[in-house]
Amino acid sequence: MNQNPQKINYYLECEKEIQRNAGRLPRLLLHSCCAPCSSAVLEYLSPHFDITLFYFNPNITPEEEYRKRVAELHRLIAEAAYPNPVRIVEGRYDSGEFFRMAQGLEALPEGGQRCYRCYRLRLEETAKQAAADGYEYFTTTLSVSPYKNAQKLNAIGSELSAQYGVKYLLSDFKKKDGYRRSIELSAQYGLYRQNYCGCVFSKAQRENALSHSV
């Protein structure tokens, strides 16, 4: 019998998968959106997985912002102490990929279909990389944010898992104070915390909200 996706506790599913792998260290390709989100996720997962961070985010503009975020990710990995080594792989950066994907969806508000297609764009590249390099699992740090739809992320990840033959680590990293912990770790390491998701649309929405709050 198929489970109702509304009833799935993704945090619990992640815990169960960790327990199933007790005593070994599976290889995980972890898509990373930024250092602040990655901080709490790495703290949680690093005792249980051999992790490579995959920084693939063509949605981020301008390029200066993209480079600033990846630099902070490298700094976090260099300064933090994890039970097992964490590596970083940078994907290609072509903002045109994102704009082609978003064509026709530019007027939609944040949190809708444009965002879901952006999830798929980044997760599919992660799944491809994981399959090509022989990883056992892939997942993303995105669900640590209260602004990201964990149900959609897990549904997309599960579809791609079946397509590419790599296990998707079901997860909702915001649970059990994951988001709060990411804020604490950002303060501890002095991480740059951006005030918009990354794309021009999220930036415009954020600026519009700020202008109306003045």
Side-chain angles (χ1 to χ4, degrees):
M1 183 180 293
N2 291 332
Q3 287 179 289
N4 182 341
Q6 299 282 357
K7 302 291 185 182
I8 297 175
N9 184 323
Y10 294 111
Y11 174 82
L12 218 68
E13 291 302 311
C14 186
E15 283 286 294
K16 289 177 185 176
E17 199 66 24
I18 287 171
Q19 290 167 17
R20 278 192 282 269
N21 288 310
R24 68 189 197 91
L25 209 62
R27 293 178 70 222
L28 166 68
L29 189 64
L30 176 61
H31 168 262
S32 169
C33 54
C34 62
C37 288
S38 299
S39 62
V41 178
L42 285 172
E43 183 178 70
Y44 171 57
L45 293 179
S46 59
H48 312 292
F49 293 92
D50 178 351
I51 298 175
T52 298
L53 287 174
F54 183 50
Y55 189 76
F56 175 73
N57 298 291
N59 57 305
I60 298 175
T61 49
E63 186 171 350
E64 179 184 4
E65 176 74 16
Y66 174 93
R67 300 296 172 196
K68 187 172 185 177
R69 295 190 193 192
V70 75
E72 284 294 86
L73 192 60
H74 279 282
R75 184 169 72 81
L76 171 66
I77 300 310
E79 294 181 9
Y82 298 111
N84 297 292
V86 175
R87 295 161 296 280
I88 302 175
V89 170
E90 291 182 45
R92 64 185 179 277
Y93 177 64
D94 176 7
S95 60
E97 284 188 78
F98 171 77
F99 287 112
R100 288 189 291 274
M101 177 227 76
Q103 194 167 6
L105 305 175
E106 294 89 346
L108 294 181
E110 283 293 288
Q113 286 300 319
R114 186 185 62 243
C115 292
Y116 301 157
R117 287 179 66 175
C118 184
Y119 296 171
R120 182 175 292 275
L121 173 67
R122 291 185 278 173
L123 277 173
E124 183 159 18
E125 188 64 24
T126 308
K128 286 179 183 177
Q129 185 83 14
D133 293 342
Y135 286 85
E136 188 172 344
Y137 291 91
F138 75 103
T139 196
T140 178
T141 63
L142 286 167
S143 71
V144 80
S145 168
Y147 305 106
K148 299 295 184 291
N149 187 317
Q151 183 179 321
K152 282 288 185 183
L153 286 164
N154 284 286
I156 293 167
S158 296
E159 289 174 21
L160 294 170
S161 173
Q163 183 177 345
Y164 290 97
V166 182
K167 294 177 189 175
Y168 184 76
L169 184 65
L170 297 172
S171 49
D172 190 354
F173 295 121
K174 73 177 69 63
K175 299 295 185 182
K176 301 295 181 180
D177 288 327
Y179 180 64
R180 180 185 60 79
R181 183 60 179 154
S182 75
I183 294 173
E184 291 173 352
L185 289 168
S186 295
Q188 179 180 329
Y189 291 103
L191 296 176
Y192 162 64
R193 286 184 66 86
Q194 61 283 347
N195 63 4
Y196 68 104
C197 175
C199 72
V200 292
F201 310 110
S202 63
K203 186 176 185 182
Q205 185 166 310
R206 173 66 176 169
E207 290 171 348
N208 184 56
L210 288 173
S211 68
H212 283 84
S213 68
V214 175

